[in-house]
Amino acid sequence: MTDIVYTNFSRGFVIEYVKSGETPCSSWLLLPAENLWPEWLRGTLYLLAMVYFFIGIAIGSDVFMCSIEVITSKKRTVVKWDEEKGERVEREVLVWNETVANLTLMALGSSAPEILLSVGETLQRLDGDGTEDALGTFTIIGSAAFNLLIITAICIVSVPSSEAKKIREFGVFLITAAWSMWAYVWMLVVLRWITPGEITMWEAWVTLGYMPLLVFSAYAQDSGWWCHRLCRRSPSTVGVDVQEGSQANVRIVNGGARPRASVFHGPSKELATLEAEKQYASSSNLKNIQEEKSNDMYLRDLESGTHLGRPKVIAPVEEKQSFARARFRHAAVRSMLGGKKKSLPPLNQKSTGPPRMAALVDKVRAMQNANADLPPANDDLCGKFTFASPSYSVFESAGTLDIDVLFHRRKPSKSKLRVSDVQNGNLDLVDDGGEEDLITGVVTVDFETRDGSAKRDTEYKFTQGKLVFKDTEWKKSISIPIVNDNQYESDMDFYVILKNATGDSGLGDPSVCRVTIIDDDEPGEFSFEDASYHADLTKGCLVAKVVRSKGSDGIVTIQYTTIDGSGKGSDSIEDFDYKSTSGTLCFKHGEMSQQIVVDINKNSSKKLKNFVITLRNPSLGAKIGDHSACVATIGGDFVQDRIANILEDDEEEDETYGDQFRNAMTVGGDKDEDGNDIPPSNLDYVLHFLTFLWKIVFAFIPPKKTLSGYPAFVLSLAFIAGCTAVVEQLGHLLGCVVGLKTSVSGITIVALGTSLPDTFASRTAAVQDQYADASIGNITGSNSVNVFLGLGLPWVINVMYKYFKNKKLYVATNNLDLSVTVFTSAGAVCIILLILRRKIVGGELGGPRVFKWFCAVFLVFLWISYVIICSLRAYSIF
C-alpha cells in the first residue's frame, strides 16, 4: 500500500508516493521536489554537505577560540608588599583564573558545535511532543565516547615506547573525572527513576546548576582548597606568589605555560627545558650541575622541570600566559586546512632589567658609603699636602679622572670662650689667631700613578708630574686618562701617590689615594633565537641560531654542547641519529648572532626524535638568557610539522579587516629554516580551494583584538550556531534517505565530525608535551561541561517554555538510557585503566610497546562495542 502526499507551492504542487504509515522527508533545507531525486544521489549530497559544513564549523570554532584567548588573556595590576625587599611590588596578573576560564569559555569554545547543535535543535522543536530521538543529545554522548575512548587510545600509542607521560594536575583530573561520570549517572537517575521519560523544572535547573559547582570544585582543587595552601606557605616566600612547579604554560610542538597548571592542560614549552632555565641563579650554577651529572641525568632534570642542587631563586613569576587549548586547536585547524604561516616577529632586544646607568650609580654610591665610615685624621694637617679623598671611583667610559690635591695653609684655630661672655649670655667663639696662622710662600709636591690590579697603558695612562702652589693657592687637580677598551672586565684599582714636598710643607694623610675603575661595558645576554629547530634531512644538518642581546661590547665566548634525548648521538654519525657536537662560539665586538651546525644522519628513521642543545660557560660579564637550551627535532609527520610551524608564531601582529581578507585569499605555505617562503604544495592548493568560501565568510567577523575580542566572540558564536543548525537538518535528512536512525547518526557521523580538530590537537600534544594534561587531561572536564551546559541549557529552555504552555517535557528514552548506560560503564573502565597505568608504567600515556598497544586496542574495542550495542537497540534488534 502506498499513500499520496501533496505538497503545495505558490505556482503548483508536488505529488509523492510513500509507503503506508510513513511520512516523506521534511526540512526547511529541501528544494521543491527534492524528495523525488534518486536516494543514492541525495544521500551522497547530504553526506558531502555535512563534511563541508564540518569544515566551516572547524574554522568558525578556530575564530571563536582566538577571541576567547584574547578575552581570557586580559591582565590587571596588583600591588603586594615584599617583606624581603621591604617595598611594594607591582605585578600584572590575569583577570580570568585559568581553571575557571578553561571550564567556562574555553570549554564552550571547544564544545560549541555540540552545545549549539543541541540548543538549536531544541529551539526548533519547542512545540514537539518529545517522542523522537534528539540528534543533539546523542551527538553529545557520542562525542564524549569518542573523546574518552578513541582520542585516549590514539594518545597512548603516540608517545614513544621508551617513555611514559603522566597527568600533572592529577587531583583536578580526578575531580573532573568524577563529575563527568556523575553527569551521565544523573541523566539515568532523571530519565529512569525519578520521573521516567519526563524532565521536570527542578531537574532541568539542577542539571544546569551542576555547571557552577563543577567550576567551583575544580577551582578549589587548583587553589589547594585555600586552607591547606595557607598552612603550607613558607615564611621565606612572603611577598612572592607561591606557585609550585610553575612553568610557562604554552603548549608547543617539536619537543615540548603557565604559571599555574590548569584543568585542561599542563605546562610546557619545549619539554619545559627552556623555561626551566629561568630557575638558574647564574651561569656558573649551570656549569656546576653539568659537571656533576651525566648527560642523561641532566636531560631528565630538564624535562621534569626539576633542578637538584641549584639554589632556589625567588623571582617574579613569569607573567605572560597563553591558554594552550586554544593555541593547539587553532594550530590543528590551520594545519589541516592549509592556513598561511605568519612570519616571526623580530627579536626584542630591549632590556627588561634595571636601567644600566642606575645600576652603576648604585654601585658607586655603595662604595662611597663604605668610605664615609672611615675615621677622621687626628693629626695636625697644617703645612701638609693631602688628597681630598682617600679613594675615587670612575667609569671606564669617562675618559679622564680629576683628583683634587689640597695644601693646608691655615694652622689649627686657637679660638677660646671667655668667662665674661658666658656670664653675659654670649656663647660665640672668639678667634684670637691672626695672620701668623697662615703659611705663606710657594710650595711644590710631586705625584705619580702606581699599578694595582689595573695596569698602566691598558686600563689607564701612566701620569706623573709636579704641582706648584703659589701664595694664595690651596687646591689643584690632577687629570688621569682612563683607557676604554670595550672589553668587559672586573673592577680594577690603581693608586696615585704624593711625594717630594718642598718648601715649608710636608705630606699628610691621605697622601696615597686608590682609584677604582668601574667597568660599564655590556657584553650582553646569549640565548637561542627559537625554542625549537627542525633538522633538514635533505641537507643532513640542523642549524640553530644563537643571538646576543642587551649589549654587544667586547669579545665574548660561550660554549655549547648537545645532549641526547630520544635521538642518540655519537662522534661517528653512522648508526646514530646525529653527530655529537660541542664547541665554543666567539662573538666579536658588536657581533649579534652566530649559528651552531649539527650534522644529522640523512638515513635516520622518519619517527620523531629529538635532542637538546645547551649553552654554558659564558666569558666574564656575559650572561645566559631565557632560552639557554633548545630542542632539536629529527623526523616527524606532516600534520605535526605544520602545527609546529604555526605554534612557533607566539606573538601575532594585530590583524585588520584587510589583513583577514588577504590571508583568506592567500594560499598557505611553509617556511624554511632561514625564514624564506616555500612554494605551496598541491595539497595546499586543494585545501585552499575547499575552504575558500568559509575563509571569506569568517573574514567578515571583526578582528579578534577589536574591543577586547567581544565582537568576534559574539559573531563567531552566531556563525557557528547557523552552521550547526544546517548540520542538524542534514543529519535528519541523511537518516531519512538511507534509513540511518537519529541516535546512530549522532554517535557516529556527527560526533566524529565535531571531534576531528581535537583529535589532531590531542595527538600532537601527546607526542610533544611533557605531561599528559594537554592531550587527555581536558577530556573529562569537557565531557562534564557538555552534559551540564549542552543538555542542561536546552532542558531549561524547553521546560520553561512548556511550563507557560501548561505542558510537560517528555524525552524519548528507548535508545537514550542504553546509550548512557553503556558509555558510563565504558568510561568508568577507561578512567580506571588510566589510573592503573599511572601506577604500573608511571604515566597515563606511553609505556612498554606491548602494554600500550594492548590498552589502546582495548579502548577502541570498548568504543566499537558501544556503537554496535547502541545501533542494535536503535534498530530494535534487542
Side-chain angles (χ1 to χ4, degrees), residues 49-102:
M50 288 183 69
V51 172
Y52 192 70
F53 272 88
F54 282 142
I55 295 175
I57 291 173
I59 297 177
S61 298
D62 176 48
V63 176
F64 187 57
M65 292 290 280
C66 288
S67 67
I68 291 175
E69 189 176 8
V70 173
I71 293 173
T72 55
S73 63
K74 294 301 178 183
K75 297 178 181 179
R76 60 187 176 89
T77 301
V78 297
V79 180
K80 292 186 177 182
W81 178 258
D82 192 329
E83 293 189 3
E84 182 180 357
K85 296 181 179 179
E87 61 184 17
R88 294 184 180 275
V89 178
E90 290 187 358
R91 286 193 179 89
E92 284 188 337
V93 298
L94 291 172
V95 175
W96 282 80
N97 173 269
E98 194 174 357
T99 297
V100 175
N102 277 315

Side-chain angles (χ1 to χ4, degrees), residues 563-614:
I563 301 175
D564 287 350
S566 56
K568 304 302 179 183
S570 176
D571 293 337
S572 175
I573 201 172
E574 296 181 2
D575 300 327
F576 289 90
D577 300 304
Y578 71 97
K579 184 177 181 180
S580 296
T581 306
S582 61
T584 301
L585 298 177
C586 182
F587 286 76
K588 299 179 181 179
H589 175 67
E591 188 174 8
M592 300 304 297
S593 66
Q594 287 199 22
Q595 292 181 338
I596 299 174
V597 180
V598 181
D599 294 332
I600 303 297
N601 189 346
K602 294 182 179 180
N603 299 321
S604 179
S605 65
K606 297 299 182 181
K607 182 179 179 181
L608 187 69
K609 297 182 180 180
N610 54 43
F611 61 93
V612 176
I613 308 175
T614 65

Side-chain angles (χ1 to χ4, degrees), residues 579-853:
K579 184 177 181 180
S580 296
T581 306
S582 61
T584 301
L585 298 177
C586 182
F587 286 76
K588 299 179 181 179
H589 175 67
E591 188 174 8
M592 300 304 297
S593 66
Q594 287 199 22
Q595 292 181 338
I596 299 174
V597 180
V598 181
D599 294 332
I600 303 297
N601 189 346
K602 294 182 179 180
N603 299 321
S604 179
S605 65
K606 297 299 182 181
K607 182 179 179 181
L608 187 69
K609 297 182 180 180
N610 54 43
F611 61 93
V612 176
I613 308 175
T614 65
L615 300 176
R616 60 180 183 178
N617 300 342
S619 56
L620 182 64
K623 299 178 181 179
I624 294 181
D626 292 341
H627 288 173
S628 61
C630 71
V631 174
T633 305
I634 306 173
D637 59 23
F638 173 78
V639 174
Q640 287 175 1
D641 291 344
R642 292 285 303 223
I643 297 176
N645 290 334
I646 292 171
L647 283 174
E648 285 177 0
D649 188 12
D650 287 338
E651 296 292 336
E652 297 182 354
E653 297 180 358
D654 294 347
E655 284 187 333
T656 63
Y657 263 118
D659 294 332
Q660 291 187 164
F661 281 98
R662 279 189 291 270
N663 292 334
M665 297 180 183
T666 303
V667 182
D670 288 329
K671 291 181 179 293
D672 59 20
E673 294 177 349
D674 298 326
N676 301 318
D677 291 328
I678 299 177
S681 63
N682 293 333
L683 180 60
D684 290 324
Y685 284 106
V686 172
L687 293 174
H688 179 72
F689 173 77
L690 293 176
T691 60
F692 180 77
L693 175 61
W694 293 119
K695 291 179 180 179
I696 295 297
V697 169
F698 286 102
F700 283 97
I701 295 177
K704 62 183 181 181
K705 292 189 177 181
T706 301
L707 297 179
S708 301
Y710 289 101
F713 176 88
V714 175
L715 291 180
S716 59
L717 190 63
F719 273 72
I720 297 171
C723 292
T724 54
V726 175
V727 169
E728 186 266 338
Q729 293 294 310
L730 291 173
H732 287 293
L733 288 175
L734 180 64
C736 178
V737 171
V738 302
L740 188 64
K741 297 293 184 180
T742 299
S743 60
V744 179
S745 176
I747 65 175
T748 53
I749 298 176
V750 183
L752 268 64
T754 57
S755 300
L756 190 61
D758 286 326
T759 305
F760 281 98
S762 294
R763 179 182 179 273
T764 307
V767 175
Q768 307 300 340
D769 238 12
Q770 181 183 1
Y771 298 98
D773 302 69
S775 52
I776 65 172
N778 61 344
I779 293 176
T780 53
S782 180
N783 289 349
S784 304
V785 173
N786 281 349
V787 173
F788 298 145
L789 196 58
L791 292 184
L793 184 59
W795 283 356
V796 168
I797 294 174
N798 209 340
V799 76
M800 295 304 296
Y801 177 83
K802 294 187 181 299
Y803 172 78
F804 290 105
K805 293 285 187 177
N806 293 322
K807 296 180 180 180
K808 294 183 179 180
L809 175 59
Y810 295 100
V811 178
T813 60
N814 292 335
N815 300 323
L816 185 59
D817 56 355
L818 180 64
S819 178
V820 173
T821 302
V822 176
F823 166 69
T824 304
S825 303
V829 172
C830 177
I831 292 175
I832 293 173
L833 177 63
L834 291 177
I835 296 174
L836 292 177
R837 284 181 51 84
R838 185 181 182 91
K839 298 296 183 181
I840 297 174
V841 302
E844 290 78 8
L845 305 182
R849 181 180 182 85
V850 175
F851 185 60
K852 75 174 184 180
W853 276 101

